[in-house]
Amino acid sequence: MPGTRIEDFQVATTGGTFRLSALGARLLVLYFYPRDNTPGCTNEAADFRDLYPKLKKAGAEVLGVSRDSLRSHEGFKAKMRLPFELASDAEGELCARFGVLKSKTLYGRPVRGIERSTFVLRSDGALLREWRGVKVAGHAKEVLDFVQTV
């Protein structure tokens, strides 16, 4: 919830290790998504990719997170020509910290998966905004609109 402080974290990404406190004065758009190469996740990544120059101009960096492996992320990043890094949270530690792991039903079987969610943070850990249960259409633009007001 906005106003909350998030403890510093580090996570393995397609570009090496990412650490929140090393971000500097910029903002972080941290978006959690269920899986690489699925229709909704592909559309969401494309939307953030297309708006990335405007997000950067507004002082934000983007980091996508799922439980997929770094190898999967590297292929997805290359295929989608993503200008930002993807983080692998295979153990679900970062997902748990942000409360995005939810019980779902897949083909009639209960599974734990990521609820599509986005957070805007400052490098000092201040949570400025969160979106949970995200619908992909128009979401990246809504995030950009918010970032441009900060």
Side-chain angles (χ1 to χ4, degrees):
M1 86 197 301
T4 303
R5 276 244 189 266
I6 304 299
E7 225 176 281
D8 194 20
F9 64 86
Q10 69 179 32
V11 63
T13 76
T14 48
T17 300
F18 172 88
R19 184 176 199 95
L20 179 62
S21 60
L23 190 61
R26 296 175 292 165
L27 301 175
L28 175 65
V29 173
L30 183 66
Y31 81 95
F32 290 85
Y33 64 98
R35 285 194 75 86
D36 292 340
N37 295 302
T38 58
C41 299
T42 297
N43 289 339
E44 185 176 30
D47 290 347
F48 277 116
R49 175 198 64 209
D50 296 347
L51 292 175
Y52 186 72
K54 291 180 180 179
L55 286 158
K56 287 288 283 187
K57 185 176 180 184
E61 186 53 67
V62 175
L63 180 63
V65 182
S66 81
R67 297 178 72 191
D68 292 305
S69 68
L70 282 177
R71 184 174 181 189
S72 175
H73 280 342
E74 287 164 358
F76 185 55
K77 181 180 177 189
K79 174 182 164 186
M80 296 299 299
R81 295 184 308 267
L82 300 178
F84 52 85
E85 304 303 333
L86 299 176
S88 175
D89 188 30
E91 301 302 317
E93 294 170 15
L94 195 58
C95 291
R97 183 182 291 192
F98 282 87
V100 300
L101 287 177
K102 303 292 178 184
S103 294
K104 301 177 175 187
T105 303
L106 184 64
Y107 304 115
R109 297 177 50 210
V111 295
R112 290 216 17 107
I114 293 178
E115 175 185 50
R116 194 178 308 279
S117 305
T118 302
F119 303 86
V120 176
L121 307 162
R122 285 196 319 241
S123 61
D124 65 0
L127 177 61
L128 304 178
R129 179 83 191 265
E130 67 180 48
W131 293 264
R132 295 180 181 270
V134 166
K135 302 295 182 221
V136 172
H139 175 64
K141 175 70 166 87
E142 185 179 357
V143 172
L144 172 63
D145 290 345
F146 173 75
V147 166
Q148 289 174 327
T149 68
V150 178

